[in-house]
Amino acid sequence: MPNWDALVAAASAARELAHAPYSDYLVGAAFELSDGTIVAGCNVENRILGLTVCAERNAIANAIVSGRRDFVALAVVTVSTPPAAPCGMCRETLAEFVDDLPILLANTQGERTEVRFGDLLPHRFVLPKG
Ligand code: THU
């Protein structure tokens, strides 16, 4: 069972650090790794709007640059009701590293919904072996 309370706390703290002056929509994400380590990320927007990077992808990059890719759970915190799920680009990025994963969608009002990554991205693209 993931430490959801710790993950939501870490994602909420990361969310407060988001750089989102264009949308005013702050997102925090936090992964639990296999030894309980938590790695977080926030969204970082850019005046060239297409250069914006989501919280989930920044959390993945944070883990990768720490030499870690043993993801076991993810929490995402937004202000949305119902709590928002990762976007398609983040789902594809996650698919690079995980087969399945429990994901907690949470919001700042305390709502929580648990989903599975396999349900968010079924029938994933698999690169044929050359
Ligand atoms: N955003 C995320 O950080 N994660 C998602 O899964 C969806 C969207 C960010 C990107 C942008 O900074 C803001 O939310 C509005 O789209």
Side-chain angles (χ1 to χ4, degrees):
M1 175 78 173
N3 189 346
W4 290 129
D5 286 344
L7 283 173
V8 168
S12 299
R15 179 181 172 277
E16 294 296 325
L17 299 173
H19 175 70
Y22 305 105
S23 71
D24 276 330
Y25 185 76
L26 286 66
V27 185
F31 284 98
E32 183 174 306
L33 307 179
S34 59
D35 63 355
T37 299
I38 292 176
V39 178
C42 61
N43 53 329
V44 179
E45 297 187 343
N46 189 277
R47 62 196 62 190
I48 309 300
L49 298 178
L51 298 186
T52 290
V53 183
C54 294
E56 298 89 330
R57 279 178 289 136
N58 276 329
I60 291 169
N62 191 8
I64 296 299
V65 78
S66 302
R68 303 292 298 267
R69 48 186 70 190
D70 48 330
F71 303 105
V72 298
L74 167 66
V76 180
V77 175
T78 63
V79 73
S80 295
T81 303
C87 77
M89 194 179 284
C90 290
R91 294 179 199 197
E92 289 291 355
T93 306
L94 257 177
E96 182 74 12
F97 300 104
V98 306
D99 288 328
D100 200 10
L101 192 81
I103 301 179
L104 191 72
L105 312 177
N107 66 19
T108 52
Q109 303 91 297
E111 292 177 84
R112 294 181 179 193
T113 305
E114 191 175 332
V115 298
R116 294 207 65 92
F117 179 62
D119 295 324
L120 294 185
L121 191 67
H123 311 295
R124 72 180 58 187
F125 173 72
V126 178
L127 193 64
K129 287 209 166 76

